[in-house]
Amino acid sequence: MKTELEKCMAGENYNCHDEIFLGFKKTARTLLSKYNSLSYDGKEEKREILGSLFGRIGSNISVGSPFICDYGRNIYMGNNVSVNMNCTFVDCNKITIGNNVLIASNVQIYTATHPIELEDRLVENWDPETGEYFCNTYALSITIGDGCWIGGGVIILPGVSIGNGSVIGAGSVVTKDIPENRVAAGNPCRVIRKINGVQ
């Protein structure tokens, strides 16, 4: 029988109020409180906190404050990554960010979601005494490839992959995968043209 964590990482419905997730959130909130209170030039301490918070960080990482995430442990960053201020990463499943990536202010990355149909969304015979959440939740991983630039205010939805070298225009809502070396924008986000020498 799978644990709630195993269900979560497999993209299946899981109990997001299970003790393990509450523990992840408590740790993340403590580290984020420290991180977001540091001065702009506290680079060494910031890196130390990010190293404890994230699943992996490469070299030359900058994450502007305030920054919000859910668990932290599911965020994996490559080298040369700049995340501007006021970003939210709901990392109930894995968020993988490649090398040489720019993420502008107010970007929201959501791995967690719920079933669309009401009948599927509500937990059958829900009992508040169990401590279980009243609705079904699942989470799908997100990947941002090497050399991407994610514009201001972009929202990336669960299960999306953005290919290497692509640029997502400000304010876009990315609902589906974007191939490599494309400019894409809009709500829903659509490919506009090829870039980086791609014919």
Side-chain angles (χ1 to χ4, degrees), residues 134-171:
F134 71 91
C135 72
N136 286 312
T137 301
Y138 64 99
L140 304 173
S141 64
I142 290 172
T143 301
I144 298 172
D146 295 343
C148 288
W149 173 19
I150 311 299
V154 166
I155 298 172
I156 303 174
L157 296 186
V160 164
S161 287
I162 298 172
N164 296 340
S166 285
V167 175
I168 308 299

PDB file of all heavy atoms in Angstrom, residues 134-171:
ATOM      1  N   PHE A 134     -11.364  17.887   2.659  1.00  0.00           N
ATOM      2  CA  PHE A 134     -12.699  17.541   2.161  1.00  0.00           C
ATOM      3  C   PHE A 134     -12.748  17.293   0.660  1.00  0.00           C
ATOM      4  O   PHE A 134     -13.722  16.744   0.141  1.00  0.00           O
ATOM      5  CB  PHE A 134     -13.721  18.625   2.529  1.00  0.00           C
ATOM      6  CG  PHE A 134     -13.548  19.907   1.763  1.00  0.00           C
ATOM      7  CD1 PHE A 134     -14.216  20.123   0.574  1.00  0.00           C
ATOM      8  CD2 PHE A 134     -12.707  20.915   2.245  1.00  0.00           C
ATOM      9  CE1 PHE A 134     -14.065  21.308  -0.131  1.00  0.00           C
ATOM     10  CE2 PHE A 134     -12.543  22.107   1.547  1.00  0.00           C
ATOM     11  CZ  PHE A 134     -13.221  22.300   0.352  1.00  0.00           C
ATOM     12  N   CYS A 135     -11.698  17.713  -0.060  1.00  0.00           N
ATOM     13  CA  CYS A 135     -11.696  17.476  -1.500  1.00  0.00           C
ATOM     14  C   CYS A 135     -10.412  16.780  -1.931  1.00  0.00           C
ATOM     15  O   CYS A 135      -9.389  16.848  -1.244  1.00  0.00           O
ATOM     16  CB  CYS A 135     -11.924  18.765  -2.282  1.00  0.00           C
ATOM     17  SG  CYS A 135     -10.542  19.889  -2.281  1.00  0.00           S
ATOM     18  N   ASN A 136     -10.504  16.085  -3.067  1.00  0.00           N
ATOM     19  CA  ASN A 136      -9.354  15.359  -3.596  1.00  0.00           C
ATOM     20  C   ASN A 136      -8.337  16.317  -4.202  1.00  0.00           C
ATOM     21  O   ASN A 136      -8.702  17.283  -4.878  1.00  0.00           O
ATOM     22  CB  ASN A 136      -9.807  14.344  -4.644  1.00  0.00           C
ATOM     23  CG  ASN A 136     -10.481  13.153  -4.012  1.00  0.00           C
ATOM     24  OD1 ASN A 136      -9.964  12.574  -3.060  1.00  0.00           O
ATOM     25  ND2 ASN A 136     -11.641  12.763  -4.530  1.00  0.00           N
ATOM     26  N   THR A 137      -7.085  16.023  -3.942  1.00  0.00           N
ATOM     27  CA  THR A 137      -5.967  16.826  -4.426  1.00  0.00           C
ATOM     28  C   THR A 137      -4.944  15.900  -5.074  1.00  0.00           C
ATOM     29  O   THR A 137      -4.716  14.798  -4.576  1.00  0.00           O
ATOM     30  CB  THR A 137      -5.284  17.565  -3.252  1.00  0.00           C
ATOM     31  OG1 THR A 137      -6.234  18.411  -2.610  1.00  0.00           O
ATOM     32  CG2 THR A 137      -4.111  18.407  -3.727  1.00  0.00           C
ATOM     33  N   TYR A 138      -4.372  16.344  -6.177  1.00  0.00           N
ATOM     34  CA  TYR A 138      -3.228  15.643  -6.747  1.00  0.00           C
ATOM     35  C   TYR A 138      -2.249  16.683  -7.275  1.00  0.00           C
ATOM     36  O   TYR A 138      -2.582  17.876  -7.364  1.00  0.00           O
ATOM     37  CB  TYR A 138      -3.644  14.633  -7.821  1.00  0.00           C
ATOM     38  CG  TYR A 138      -4.294  15.210  -9.054  1.00  0.00           C
ATOM     39  CD1 TYR A 138      -3.569  15.430 -10.226  1.00  0.00           C
ATOM     40  CD2 TYR A 138      -5.663  15.530  -9.070  1.00  0.00           C
ATOM     41  CE1 TYR A 138      -4.168  15.940 -11.364  1.00  0.00           C
ATOM     42  CE2 TYR A 138      -6.271  16.041 -10.201  1.00  0.00           C
ATOM     43  CZ  TYR A 138      -5.521  16.243 -11.356  1.00  0.00           C
ATOM     44  OH  TYR A 138      -6.121  16.749 -12.469  1.00  0.00           O
ATOM     45  N   ALA A 139      -1.037  16.256  -7.596  1.00  0.00           N
ATOM     46  CA  ALA A 139      -0.004  17.201  -8.017  1.00  0.00           C
ATOM     47  C   ALA A 139       0.815  16.598  -9.154  1.00  0.00           C
ATOM     48  O   ALA A 139       1.127  15.406  -9.134  1.00  0.00           O
ATOM     49  CB  ALA A 139       0.905  17.552  -6.841  1.00  0.00           C
ATOM     50  N   LEU A 140       1.147  17.428 -10.137  1.00  0.00           N
ATOM     51  CA  LEU A 140       1.906  17.000 -11.308  1.00  0.00           C
ATOM     52  C   LEU A 140       3.167  17.857 -11.450  1.00  0.00           C
ATOM     53  O   LEU A 140       3.120  19.076 -11.276  1.00  0.00           O
ATOM     54  CB  LEU A 140       1.053  17.124 -12.569  1.00  0.00           C
ATOM     55  CG  LEU A 140      -0.284  16.363 -12.551  1.00  0.00           C
ATOM     56  CD1 LEU A 140      -1.114  16.716 -13.784  1.00  0.00           C
ATOM     57  CD2 LEU A 140      -0.046  14.863 -12.468  1.00  0.00           C
ATOM     58  N   SER A 141       4.263  17.219 -11.785  1.00  0.00           N
ATOM     59  CA  SER A 141       5.551  17.923 -11.852  1.00  0.00           C
ATOM     60  C   SER A 141       5.594  18.931 -12.993  1.00  0.00           C
ATOM     61  O   SER A 141       4.873  18.813 -13.995  1.00  0.00           O
ATOM     62  CB  SER A 141       6.695  16.915 -11.989  1.00  0.00           C
ATOM     63  OG  SER A 141       6.588  16.214 -13.212  1.00  0.00           O
ATOM     64  N   ILE A 142       6.464  19.916 -12.830  1.00  0.00           N
ATOM     65  CA  ILE A 142       6.672  20.985 -13.818  1.00  0.00           C
ATOM     66  C   ILE A 142       8.162  21.083 -14.118  1.00  0.00           C
ATOM     67  O   ILE A 142       8.990  21.007 -13.212  1.00  0.00           O
ATOM     68  CB  ILE A 142       6.137  22.333 -13.284  1.00  0.00           C
ATOM     69  CG1 ILE A 142       4.607  22.308 -13.231  1.00  0.00           C
ATOM     70  CG2 ILE A 142       6.646  23.511 -14.113  1.00  0.00           C
ATOM     71  CD1 ILE A 142       3.975  23.492 -12.542  1.00  0.00           C
ATOM     72  N   THR A 143       8.493  21.269 -15.409  1.00  0.00           N
ATOM     73  CA  THR A 143       9.893  21.419 -15.812  1.00  0.00           C
ATOM     74  C   THR A 143      10.063  22.679 -16.635  1.00  0.00           C
ATOM     75  O   THR A 143       9.292  22.929 -17.574  1.00  0.00           O
ATOM     76  CB  THR A 143      10.358  20.204 -16.641  1.00  0.00           C
ATOM     77  OG1 THR A 143      10.209  19.021 -15.860  1.00  0.00           O
ATOM     78  CG2 THR A 143      11.813  20.346 -17.062  1.00  0.00           C
ATOM     79  N   ILE A 144      11.075  23.474 -16.273  1.00  0.00           N
ATOM     80  CA  ILE A 144      11.479  24.643 -17.053  1.00  0.00           C
ATOM     81  C   ILE A 144      12.892  24.362 -17.539  1.00  0.00           C
ATOM     82  O   ILE A 144      13.815  24.182 -16.742  1.00  0.00           O
ATOM     83  CB  ILE A 144      11.429  25.925 -16.208  1.00  0.00           C
ATOM     84  CG1 ILE A 144       9.998  26.183 -15.726  1.00  0.00           C
ATOM     85  CG2 ILE A 144      11.965  27.118 -16.996  1.00  0.00           C
ATOM     86  CD1 ILE A 144       9.868  27.317 -14.723  1.00  0.00           C
ATOM     87  N   GLY A 145      13.071  24.290 -18.848  1.00  0.00           N
ATOM     88  CA  GLY A 145      14.339  23.870 -19.426  1.00  0.00           C
ATOM     89  C   GLY A 145      15.438  24.913 -19.338  1.00  0.00           C
ATOM     90  O   GLY A 145      15.225  26.059 -18.910  1.00  0.00           O
ATOM     91  N   ASP A 146      16.636  24.516 -19.764  1.00  0.00           N
ATOM     92  CA  ASP A 146      17.800  25.403 -19.789  1.00  0.00           C
ATOM     93  C   ASP A 146      17.527  26.633 -20.654  1.00  0.00           C
ATOM     94  O   ASP A 146      16.906  26.532 -21.718  1.00  0.00           O
ATOM     95  CB  ASP A 146      19.022  24.676 -20.366  1.00  0.00           C
ATOM     96  CG  ASP A 146      19.503  23.518 -19.509  1.00  0.00           C
ATOM     97  OD1 ASP A 146      19.123  23.462 -18.322  1.00  0.00           O
ATOM     98  OD2 ASP A 146      20.277  22.688 -20.030  1.00  0.00           O
ATOM     99  N   GLY A 147      18.028  27.770 -20.210  1.00  0.00           N
ATOM    100  CA  GLY A 147      17.995  28.982 -21.025  1.00  0.00           C
ATOM    101  C   GLY A 147      16.641  29.623 -21.202  1.00  0.00           C
ATOM    102  O   GLY A 147      16.470  30.479 -22.080  1.00  0.00           O
ATOM    103  N   CYS A 148      15.670  29.258 -20.390  1.00  0.00           N
ATOM    104  CA  CYS A 148      14.329  29.856 -20.519  1.00  0.00           C
ATOM    105  C   CYS A 148      14.260  31.215 -19.827  1.00  0.00           C
ATOM    106  O   CYS A 148      14.999  31.492 -18.881  1.00  0.00           O
ATOM    107  CB  CYS A 148      13.277  28.935 -19.912  1.00  0.00           C
ATOM    108  SG  CYS A 148      12.950  27.460 -20.876  1.00  0.00           S
ATOM    109  N   TRP A 149      13.350  32.040 -20.320  1.00  0.00           N
ATOM    110  CA  TRP A 149      13.029  33.313 -19.672  1.00  0.00           C
ATOM    111  C   TRP A 149      11.520  33.327 -19.487  1.00  0.00           C
ATOM    112  O   TRP A 149      10.759  33.264 -20.459  1.00  0.00           O
ATOM    113  CB  TRP A 149      13.501  34.475 -20.548  1.00  0.00           C
ATOM    114  CG  TRP A 149      13.086  35.845 -20.082  1.00  0.00           C
ATOM    115  CD1 TRP A 149      12.664  36.223 -18.842  1.00  0.00           C
ATOM    116  CD2 TRP A 149      13.056  37.030 -20.893  1.00  0.00           C
ATOM    117  NE1 TRP A 149      12.377  37.566 -18.808  1.00  0.00           N
ATOM    118  CE2 TRP A 149      12.613  38.089 -20.051  1.00  0.00           C
ATOM    119  CE3 TRP A 149      13.358  37.304 -22.212  1.00  0.00           C
ATOM    120  CZ2 TRP A 149      12.463  39.388 -20.516  1.00  0.00           C
ATOM    121  CZ3 TRP A 149      13.215  38.600 -22.687  1.00  0.00           C
ATOM    122  CH2 TRP A 149      12.778  39.631 -21.837  1.00  0.00           C
ATOM    123  N   ILE A 150      11.094  33.393 -18.225  1.00  0.00           N
ATOM    124  CA  ILE A 150       9.670  33.411 -17.875  1.00  0.00           C
ATOM    125  C   ILE A 150       9.307  34.836 -17.480  1.00  0.00           C
ATOM    126  O   ILE A 150       9.819  35.371 -16.499  1.00  0.00           O
ATOM    127  CB  ILE A 150       9.372  32.443 -16.698  1.00  0.00           C
ATOM    128  CG1 ILE A 150       9.989  31.056 -16.936  1.00  0.00           C
ATOM    129  CG2 ILE A 150       7.871  32.360 -16.457  1.00  0.00           C
ATOM    130  CD1 ILE A 150       9.495  30.333 -18.153  1.00  0.00           C
ATOM    131  N   GLY A 151       8.431  35.481 -18.249  1.00  0.00           N
ATOM    132  CA  GLY A 151       8.109  36.890 -18.042  1.00  0.00           C
ATOM    133  C   GLY A 151       7.266  37.149 -16.806  1.00  0.00           C
ATOM    134  O   GLY A 151       6.720  36.233 -16.181  1.00  0.00           O
ATOM    135  N   GLY A 152       7.158  38.421 -16.458  1.00  0.00           N
ATOM    136  CA  GLY A 152       6.454  38.850 -15.257  1.00  0.00           C
ATOM    137  C   GLY A 152       5.006  38.402 -15.223  1.00  0.00           C
ATOM    138  O   GLY A 152       4.294  38.474 -16.226  1.00  0.00           O
ATOM    139  N   GLY A 153       4.578  37.918 -14.058  1.00  0.00           N
ATOM    140  CA  GLY A 153       3.179  37.575 -13.855  1.00  0.00           C
ATOM    141  C   GLY A 153       2.715  36.307 -14.544  1.00  0.00           C
ATOM    142  O   GLY A 153       1.515  36.032 -14.591  1.00  0.00           O
ATOM    143  N   VAL A 154       3.642  35.518 -15.067  1.00  0.00           N
ATOM    144  CA  VAL A 154       3.263  34.268 -15.739  1.00  0.00           C
ATOM    145  C   VAL A 154       2.747  33.261 -14.709  1.00  0.00           C
ATOM    146  O   VAL A 154       3.256  33.179 -13.588  1.00  0.00           O
ATOM    147  CB  VAL A 154       4.464  33.680 -16.508  1.00  0.00           C
ATOM    148  CG1 VAL A 154       4.212  32.229 -16.921  1.00  0.00           C
ATOM    149  CG2 VAL A 154       4.790  34.528 -17.734  1.00  0.00           C
ATOM    150  N   ILE A 155       1.742  32.490 -15.089  1.00  0.00           N
ATOM    151  CA  ILE A 155       1.217  31.388 -14.282  1.00  0.00           C
ATOM    152  C   ILE A 155       1.475  30.095 -15.040  1.00  0.00           C
ATOM    153  O   ILE A 155       1.087  29.968 -16.209  1.00  0.00           O
ATOM    154  CB  ILE A 155      -0.284  31.564 -14.004  1.00  0.00           C
ATOM    155  CG1 ILE A 155      -0.537  32.841 -13.196  1.00  0.00           C
ATOM    156  CG2 ILE A 155      -0.853  30.345 -13.272  1.00  0.00           C
ATOM    157  CD1 ILE A 155      -2.000  33.206 -13.037  1.00  0.00           C
ATOM    158  N   ILE A 156       2.142  29.147 -14.388  1.00  0.00           N
ATOM    159  CA  ILE A 156       2.431  27.844 -14.993  1.00  0.00           C
ATOM    160  C   ILE A 156       1.622  26.792 -14.248  1.00  0.00           C
ATOM    161  O   ILE A 156       1.750  26.646 -13.034  1.00  0.00           O
ATOM    162  CB  ILE A 156       3.937  27.528 -14.948  1.00  0.00           C
ATOM    163  CG1 ILE A 156       4.734  28.635 -15.663  1.00  0.00           C
ATOM    164  CG2 ILE A 156       4.215  26.167 -15.583  1.00  0.00           C
ATOM    165  CD1 ILE A 156       6.240  28.490 -15.551  1.00  0.00           C
ATOM    166  N   LEU A 157       0.792  26.062 -14.989  1.00  0.00           N
ATOM    167  CA  LEU A 157      -0.131  25.109 -14.391  1.00  0.00           C
ATOM    168  C   LEU A 157       0.466  23.702 -14.287  1.00  0.00           C
ATOM    169  O   LEU A 157       1.472  23.407 -14.922  1.00  0.00           O
ATOM    170  CB  LEU A 157      -1.438  25.103 -15.177  1.00  0.00           C
ATOM    171  CG  LEU A 157      -2.227  26.424 -15.155  1.00  0.00           C
ATOM    172  CD1 LEU A 157      -3.573  26.253 -15.843  1.00  0.00           C
ATOM    173  CD2 LEU A 157      -2.426  26.941 -13.732  1.00  0.00           C
ATOM    174  N   PRO A 158      -0.149  22.831 -13.483  1.00  0.00           N
ATOM    175  CA  PRO A 158       0.404  21.505 -13.211  1.00  0.00           C
ATOM    176  C   PRO A 158       0.688  20.682 -14.464  1.00  0.00           C
ATOM    177  O   PRO A 158      -0.094  20.698 -15.419  1.00  0.00           O
ATOM    178  CB  PRO A 158      -0.686  20.838 -12.368  1.00  0.00           C
ATOM    179  CG  PRO A 158      -1.393  21.968 -11.701  1.00  0.00           C
ATOM    180  CD  PRO A 158      -1.391  23.066 -12.702  1.00  0.00           C
ATOM    181  N   GLY A 159       1.808  19.956 -14.436  1.00  0.00           N
ATOM    182  CA  GLY A 159       2.152  19.025 -15.497  1.00  0.00           C
ATOM    183  C   GLY A 159       2.826  19.610 -16.712  1.00  0.00           C
ATOM    184  O   GLY A 159       3.167  18.889 -17.650  1.00  0.00           O
ATOM    185  N   VAL A 160       3.075  20.919 -16.719  1.00  0.00           N
ATOM    186  CA  VAL A 160       3.625  21.599 -17.889  1.00  0.00           C
ATOM    187  C   VAL A 160       5.146  21.453 -17.955  1.00  0.00           C
ATOM    188  O   VAL A 160       5.833  21.514 -16.943  1.00  0.00           O
ATOM    189  CB  VAL A 160       3.236  23.100 -17.873  1.00  0.00           C
ATOM    190  CG1 VAL A 160       4.086  23.913 -18.823  1.00  0.00           C
ATOM    191  CG2 VAL A 160       1.762  23.269 -18.196  1.00  0.00           C
ATOM    192  N   SER A 161       5.656  21.290 -19.190  1.00  0.00           N
ATOM    193  CA  SER A 161       7.094  21.361 -19.463  1.00  0.00           C
ATOM    194  C   SER A 161       7.336  22.479 -20.465  1.00  0.00           C
ATOM    195  O   SER A 161       6.616  22.588 -21.462  1.00  0.00           O
ATOM    196  CB  SER A 161       7.609  20.047 -20.050  1.00  0.00           C
ATOM    197  OG  SER A 161       7.663  19.046 -19.070  1.00  0.00           O
ATOM    198  N   ILE A 162       8.347  23.288 -20.184  1.00  0.00           N
ATOM    199  CA  ILE A 162       8.737  24.369 -21.090  1.00  0.00           C
ATOM    200  C   ILE A 162      10.126  24.028 -21.617  1.00  0.00           C
ATOM    201  O   ILE A 162      11.068  23.845 -20.847  1.00  0.00           O
ATOM    202  CB  ILE A 162       8.720  25.732 -20.374  1.00  0.00           C
ATOM    203  CG1 ILE A 162       7.296  26.035 -19.886  1.00  0.00           C
ATOM    204  CG2 ILE A 162       9.224  26.835 -21.305  1.00  0.00           C
ATOM    205  CD1 ILE A 162       7.177  27.264 -19.002  1.00  0.00           C
ATOM    206  N   GLY A 163      10.243  23.908 -22.934  1.00  0.00           N
ATOM    207  CA  GLY A 163      11.471  23.431 -23.559  1.00  0.00           C
ATOM    208  C   GLY A 163      12.626  24.414 -23.463  1.00  0.00           C
ATOM    209  O   GLY A 163      12.432  25.625 -23.280  1.00  0.00           O
ATOM    210  N   ASN A 164      13.829  23.899 -23.615  1.00  0.00           N
ATOM    211  CA  ASN A 164      15.058  24.702 -23.547  1.00  0.00           C
ATOM    212  C   ASN A 164      14.983  25.918 -24.462  1.00  0.00           C
ATOM    213  O   ASN A 164      14.512  25.828 -25.599  1.00  0.00           O
ATOM    214  CB  ASN A 164      16.270  23.855 -23.969  1.00  0.00           C
ATOM    215  CG  ASN A 164      16.545  22.706 -23.042  1.00  0.00           C
ATOM    216  OD1 ASN A 164      16.110  22.694 -21.896  1.00  0.00           O
ATOM    217  ND2 ASN A 164      17.286  21.716 -23.529  1.00  0.00           N
ATOM    218  N   GLY A 165      15.448  27.051 -23.949  1.00  0.00           N
ATOM    219  CA  GLY A 165      15.592  28.250 -24.762  1.00  0.00           C
ATOM    220  C   GLY A 165      14.323  29.019 -25.037  1.00  0.00           C
ATOM    221  O   GLY A 165      14.352  30.020 -25.756  1.00  0.00           O
ATOM    222  N   SER A 166      13.200  28.602 -24.479  1.00  0.00           N
ATOM    223  CA  SER A 166      11.934  29.273 -24.783  1.00  0.00           C
ATOM    224  C   SER A 166      11.687  30.477 -23.883  1.00  0.00           C
ATOM    225  O   SER A 166      12.200  30.567 -22.765  1.00  0.00           O
ATOM    226  CB  SER A 166      10.761  28.293 -24.689  1.00  0.00           C
ATOM    227  OG  SER A 166      10.763  27.442 -25.804  1.00  0.00           O
ATOM    228  N   VAL A 167      10.895  31.403 -24.408  1.00  0.00           N
ATOM    229  CA  VAL A 167      10.531  32.646 -23.701  1.00  0.00           C
ATOM    230  C   VAL A 167       9.014  32.682 -23.572  1.00  0.00           C
ATOM    231  O   VAL A 167       8.293  32.506 -24.560  1.00  0.00           O
ATOM    232  CB  VAL A 167      11.025  33.887 -24.483  1.00  0.00           C
ATOM    233  CG1 VAL A 167      10.537  35.169 -23.820  1.00  0.00           C
ATOM    234  CG2 VAL A 167      12.543  33.882 -24.596  1.00  0.00           C
ATOM    235  N   ILE A 168       8.541  32.904 -22.333  1.00  0.00           N
ATOM    236  CA  ILE A 168       7.102  33.003 -22.078  1.00  0.00           C
ATOM    237  C   ILE A 168       6.767  34.463 -21.775  1.00  0.00           C
ATOM    238  O   ILE A 168       7.292  35.053 -20.831  1.00  0.00           O
ATOM    239  CB  ILE A 168       6.671  32.107 -20.893  1.00  0.00           C
ATOM    240  CG1 ILE A 168       7.162  30.672 -21.082  1.00  0.00           C
ATOM    241  CG2 ILE A 168       5.158  32.164 -20.723  1.00  0.00           C
ATOM    242  CD1 ILE A 168       6.639  29.965 -22.309  1.00  0.00           C
ATOM    243  N   GLY A 169       5.901  35.048 -22.592  1.00  0.00           N
ATOM    244  CA  GLY A 169       5.561  36.461 -22.459  1.00  0.00           C
ATOM    245  C   GLY A 169       4.841  36.784 -21.172  1.00  0.00           C
ATOM    246  O   GLY A 169       4.105  35.960 -20.610  1.00  0.00           O
ATOM    247  N   ALA A 170       5.048  38.009 -20.697  1.00  0.00           N
ATOM    248  CA  ALA A 170       4.463  38.467 -19.431  1.00  0.00           C
ATOM    249  C   ALA A 170       2.957  38.264 -19.408  1.00  0.00           C
ATOM    250  O   ALA A 170       2.265  38.483 -20.408  1.00  0.00           O
ATOM    251  CB  ALA A 170       4.794  39.941 -19.219  1.00  0.00           C
ATOM    252  N   GLY A 171       2.454  37.823 -18.253  1.00  0.00           N
ATOM    253  CA  GLY A 171       1.025  37.672 -18.051  1.00  0.00           C
ATOM    254  C   GLY A 171       0.409  36.417 -18.639  1.00  0.00           C
ATOM    255  O   GLY A 171      -0.803  36.222 -18.549  1.00  0.00           O
TER     256      GLY A 171
END
